[in-house]
Amino acid sequence: ESWAAFSSAERSAAITRLCSKYMADWHGTQTGIALQQTAEDLVQEFGPRTEHRIILVTDFQEGSDFGSLLTGIWPDSVQVTLRIIRPLESGNASLHTMVDRRTAKLLVRVSNNADATTTHFTVRPLNRAGLSAGPDVPVNVVPGRQVTLPLTSLTLTEDAVSLSLVGDSHKFDNCVPLPVTSSRTWSIAHAGSTDVNDASRMRYYLQRALDGMARDADPDSSTEPQPEILDTVTSDGLTLPVPDDVKLAILTEAVPVKLLPSLKALLDRDGIVVAALTSELMAQSIQALLPEGMTITEASVSDYAMLGRIDFEQPLFAEFSDARFADFSSVRFWKHRAIGLAGPDSSDAEEAARWTVVAEFDSGMPAIVRIRREFAGEVYLLASGWHPDDSQWALSSRFAPMVTGFLNLAHPAELEYQQVLVGDSFNPATTVTSSDWIIELPDGSLQSCQAVDSRKSEVTQITVEQPGRYTIRSTSADDDTTVTLLAEIDPNESRTAPLPEGQLYALGLAAENTQSQDPVLAMKPPESRRPSADQLESQQKYWRWFLLAGLCCLFAEAVLAAIIHRRQLETA
């Protein structure tokens, strides 16, 4: 309608004015869908018998989606001319994040296109003001390759909110948001010896593992957890209950009866209890925390035992799944307890424990058992202690990561975040489980449920329009939930290298003669380049002519042979 309202002299100015106001969005490039929709609109508006031509000006990048052109029905009356433009500088490097499904840790991936000329880049943490929030990390990525780094390999300050890729001339995909964490202290309740200098007790090695974590942490960062041990049994024999804010308890000796109620309360609030069994007496002291039918006795070990099977799919050992770290043959066990597992009572299924054998000895006996109850926490039973009398576990390089694994299980990320792509939609009411919500957009603006129809807030879908951090908060009085969405552009958008010429022909594109200086390719209608089954059959009827020609040759050969044979008989 607007085009028809302008005169011929006004249309050029109208196009210029329209282009000056146009702003490209951050969504993925759906070139195939755009062409298909345009062709359908033309046919619907003017009819299928009117000839039309679509001129598509594009860089024809690898990340474009042309799938609909291969599956849709293209009208014969619509022709497409493809004008490919080239960037002033080829190549593109991109920065994206992803979550490792095994360890649930955030990974940083730097990719470099095959047509790139630059290989040296730098990953730089930034704060909200765009200033450096930690030391730069150099990354060397050859063209056509990618490099993945764990986020923990970067030293981030408390105010780090994003990562930026330095050294790439195309900056549209060089910045990604980061989850915001807060400083925290992890308290560990301990029941056992309180002497931190006695090398024959497990408390000694546990303390040194935690001290090693503190030494490895960045001293300038306040986001690193600060673990501390709270002894629930003092040197005078006084029993102290486990504090309500503690989510991890480690038991290394027999547990007093007075401590059991607070340990049960810890499990009720989804905490974790780790019991390193040192004797049958200790096993009897925690029998109230174990399921019925489980028996624990002293195992008979002739020389020493080793770990035979480890379930690396379990979160506790996920970090060791790499073949370089999966070897536990250096850990020997002089003594261990035999854990007998019996099937849970089906008549009391709701109260029955569910257990998983995380690791086994080479004899097949359970070495580590994970016990999980419905709507409660978890108990990890270690069949042996890590002190020298029982094993070499504490002297192994695998011990400290195991302690860290227990800490991570008990203290998951305090600020929940989800990764989304630009163009995805989400329901704020479902995300924060509240109909009263407010969203902070990446540009700092706010959008509340009152901004849309509040009566339909439960079904409102918000589309992610730009990359960055979306913070969703519930505003109801009885609920205080915060969820962060980390939005990035589609990784396919970073694949800016032009499609090869062979791919153009595979999509049905052929060269067109033109006076324009730009490279121009014309696309044949997909329907004509995708013949039907009947058309294919009609095109393949030439095989019948070959068969007929072969039969004629055989007939001619038989006639010729008969004539020759008759002449031979007459001469004889």
Side-chain angles (χ1 to χ4, degrees), residues 15 96 120 146 150 166 189 195 214-215 218 225 230 249 254 332 337 368 375 382 386 391 413 435 478 509 572:
I15 293 176
H96 295 279
H120 299 284
Q146 56 189 15
V166 181
D195 191 351
R215 286 194 302 269
D218 180 15
L230 302 178
R332 299 185 177 184
R337 269 42 67 188
I368 300 178
F375 310 110
L382 278 62
W386 53 74
S391 68
S435 59
D478 57 346
L509 301 173

Side-chain angles (χ1 to χ4, degrees), residues 353-370:
R354 301 177 180 179
W355 51 73
T356 302
V357 178
V358 179
E360 291 181 352
F361 292 111
D362 51 0
S363 62
M365 294 184 179
I368 300 178
V369 179
R370 174 191 176 194

Side-chain angles (χ1 to χ4, degrees), residues 139-425:
V139 180
N140 186 24
V141 188
V142 299
R145 298 289 184 176
Q146 56 189 15
V147 174
T148 302
L149 306 171
L151 185 61
T152 53
S153 64
L154 281 73
T155 304
L156 307 176
T157 59
E158 184 180 3
D159 58 345
V161 297
S162 63
L163 295 178
S164 177
L165 185 65
V166 181
D168 179 36
S169 57
H170 303 287
K171 304 183 183 301
F172 72 96
D173 55 357
N174 290 351
C175 189
V176 294
L178 291 176
V180 179
T181 57
S182 57
S183 59
R184 56 201 184 275
T185 299
W186 288 349
S187 297
I188 304 172
H190 173 257
S193 173
T194 60
D195 191 351
V196 298
N197 297 317
D198 188 353
S200 64
R201 302 294 183 92
M202 284 187 279
R203 175 70 160 80
Y204 172 86
Y205 301 97
L206 178 62
Q207 184 66 55
R208 272 146 185 77
L210 298 180
D211 291 343
M213 291 177 56
R215 286 194 302 269
D216 294 338
D218 180 15
D220 298 329
S221 174
S222 60
T223 62
E224 293 289 342
Q226 306 296 325
E228 61 178 5
I229 297 179
L230 302 178
D231 290 307
T232 57
V233 181
T234 65
S235 57
D236 300 331
L238 180 64
T239 301
L240 303 175
V242 178
D244 294 339
D245 59 342
V246 173
K247 302 188 66 175
L248 175 63
I250 297 180
L251 315 179
T252 59
E253 292 183 6
V255 176
V257 177
K258 296 181 179 180
L259 188 61
L260 292 177
S262 62
L263 290 176
K264 292 182 180 179
L266 182 147
L267 291 174
D268 291 339
R269 58 177 181 268
D270 294 333
I272 291 180
V273 173
V274 179
L277 302 176
T278 56
S279 63
E280 294 184 53
L281 178 63
M282 178 183 175
Q284 295 174 1
S285 68
I286 62 172
Q287 195 66 44
L289 305 178
L290 305 179
E292 297 182 2
M294 178 175 288
T295 60
I296 300 176
T297 58
E298 191 70 28
S300 176
V301 181
S302 59
D303 191 3
Y304 61 86
M306 301 172 60
L307 294 178
R309 185 194 68 85
I310 299 176
D311 186 359
F312 293 105
E313 296 296 326
Q314 292 291 323
L316 181 61
F317 287 101
E319 291 190 2
F320 301 104
S321 58
D322 193 302
R324 297 173 296 174
F325 313 114
D327 184 12
F328 283 75
S329 59
S330 61
V331 182
R332 299 185 177 184
F333 297 84
W334 318 118
K335 302 176 184 178
H336 70 82
R337 269 42 67 188
I339 302 177
L341 302 177
D345 186 3
S346 58
S347 63
D348 193 15
E350 294 185 357
E351 297 296 333
R354 301 177 180 179
W355 51 73
T356 302
V357 178
V358 179
E360 291 181 352
F361 292 111
D362 51 0
S363 62
M365 294 184 179
I368 300 178
V369 179
R370 174 191 176 194
I371 303 172
R372 177 176 59 85
R373 293 184 178 273
E374 288 289 339
F375 310 110
E378 297 178 341
V379 178
Y380 280 84
L381 284 184
L382 278 62
S384 176
W386 53 74
H387 56 303
D389 287 346
D390 273 13
S391 68
Q392 297 177 331
W393 187 264
L395 303 179
S396 169
S397 60
R398 308 294 192 269
F399 175 68
M402 184 188 69
V403 176
T404 304
F406 285 126
L407 283 169
N408 292 333
L409 289 174
H411 299 274
E414 295 183 3
L415 182 59
E416 182 182 1
Y417 70 92
Q418 303 174 12
Q419 286 192 307
V420 296
L421 297 179
V422 174
D424 291 347
S425 298

Side-chain angles (χ1 to χ4, degrees), residues 36 40 67-75 526-527 530:
Q36 194 78 35
E40 292 175 0
S68 62
L69 295 181
L70 302 176
T71 58
I73 300 177
W74 188 268
E527 184 65 23
R530 292 192 304 274

Side-chain angles (χ1 to χ4, degrees), residues 457-498:
S457 60
E458 295 184 358
V459 295
T460 298
Q461 293 289 329
I462 304 297
T463 301
V464 179
E465 298 289 350
Q466 55 183 315
R469 179 180 292 102
Y470 292 74
T471 304
I472 312 170
R473 299 183 180 89
S474 62
T475 57
S476 58
D478 57 346
D479 192 9
D480 185 16
T481 304
T482 300
V483 177
T484 299
L485 302 183
L486 304 181
E488 300 181 14
I489 65 173
D490 191 333
N492 287 328
E493 285 297 284
S494 301
R495 300 168 55 200
T496 58

